[in-house]
Amino acid sequence: MSKGLFVTGTDTGVGKTVVTGLLARILRKQGLRVGVMKPVETGCPREGDQLAPQDALFLRRISGCTAPPEVVTPYAFAEPLAPAIAAELAGCSIELSHIRSCYEQLLTQHDYVLVEGAGGLLVPLTAQHTMHDMAVALGLPILVVACNKLGTINHTALTVTVARERSQVIGIVLNHTQAIDDMLML
Ligand SMILES: Nc1ncnc2c1ncn2[C@@H]1O[C@H](COP(=O)(O)OP(=O)(O)OP(=O)(O)O)[C@@H](O)[C@H]1O
Ligand SMILES: [Mg+2]
């Protein structure tokens, strides 16, 4: 059985970080050492002379993962763009082999490692690779987070179809990105 999971979404902003954090919390409560990874994060605010990847910071906090930030997020960029474009603007090249070695380092120190993708599966990671190539390179099964709104059947079916070409899909989470109380106010 895989000791890791790749969490993707039908889009950006559908709740990947919230769901990954919830899974981390459940596994941690069962006494497991949970590692987390957000290998590429864009749109990171600056704190002093450093970038502060917000998803990675949240996931580290909720999971209790104390791995160094550069292992949890080997590639952080300021521009809120697709990884391939943000990396090009920063004059940096994203290497799948480096992401893989960070993931393997996390595997040696944890019972389970949760990896959050950026955007959806076909987001460009480099000029040659997509986010799905990263999941395949890490050998991870996929959990799809979908937003519970009109149009989600099409987005979810497209994502699952692409994922199944080269990966095992272990489930779909139909997420509400607003608390129920907020929705009752609408
Ligand atoms: N179940 C939920 N209940 C309430 N708020 C939620 C829920 N799921 C997500 N949200 C909110 O929706 C927003 C987007 O969620 P989140 O950051 O997890 O999405 P994401 O898919 O990880 O986005 P990104 O593509 O930027 O990584 C956040 O403000 C989050 O707090
Ligand atoms: Mg996120």
Side-chain angles (χ1 to χ4, degrees):
M1 199 182 94
S2 172
K3 285 179 60 185
L5 181 65
F6 187 86
V7 180
T8 192
T10 51
D11 198 357
T12 186
V14 294
K16 295 184 298 294
T17 305
V18 167
V19 169
T20 307
L22 184 65
L23 289 176
R25 202 181 164 124
I26 292 167
L27 293 170
R28 191 180 179 191
K29 274 198 167 176
Q30 290 177 3
L32 296 176
R33 293 170 305 161
V34 184
V36 287
M37 198 176 184
K38 172 88 182 186
V40 184
E41 186 159 344
T42 64
C44 304
R46 279 192 191 282
E47 281 181 11
D49 58 355
Q50 298 214 314
L51 291 174
Q54 299 298 299
D55 284 5
L57 286 167
F58 172 79
L59 292 175
R60 286 176 90 232
R61 202 166 55 240
I62 201 163
S63 64
C65 173
T66 56
E70 66 272 17
V71 174
V72 173
T73 305
Y75 297 102
F77 302 103
E79 296 297 334
L81 299 169
I85 301 159
E88 194 181 330
L89 285 177
C92 163
S93 77
I94 296 174
E95 304 290 341
L96 271 180
S97 57
H98 180 54
I99 292 174
R100 196 182 154 100
S101 74
C102 290
Y103 172 70
E104 281 167 358
Q105 188 177 326
L106 288 167
L107 268 186
T108 63
Q109 293 154 355
H110 301 90
D111 300 308
Y112 206 84
V113 179
L114 299 167
V115 181
E116 182 191 340
L121 274 188
L122 294 185
V123 160
L125 183 65
T126 69
Q128 291 81 29
H129 299 108
T130 64
M131 200 55 60
H132 192 196
D133 290 319
M134 182 164 90
V136 172
L138 301 181
L140 291 173
I142 289 177
L143 178 70
V144 177
V145 179
C147 188
N148 195 6
K149 63 176 186 185
L150 190 63
T152 205
I153 294 176
N154 178 52
H155 292 156
T156 307
L158 288 171
T159 301
V160 169
T161 301
V162 168
R164 279 187 177 156
E165 285 172 5
R166 290 183 291 149
S167 306
Q168 181 197 9
V169 176
I170 64 151
I172 299 165
V173 175
L174 203 53
N175 184 42
H176 286 275
T177 53
Q178 283 176 298
I180 299 294
D181 287 353
D182 293 350
M183 291 198 299
L184 291 177
M185 305 281 285
L186 295 177

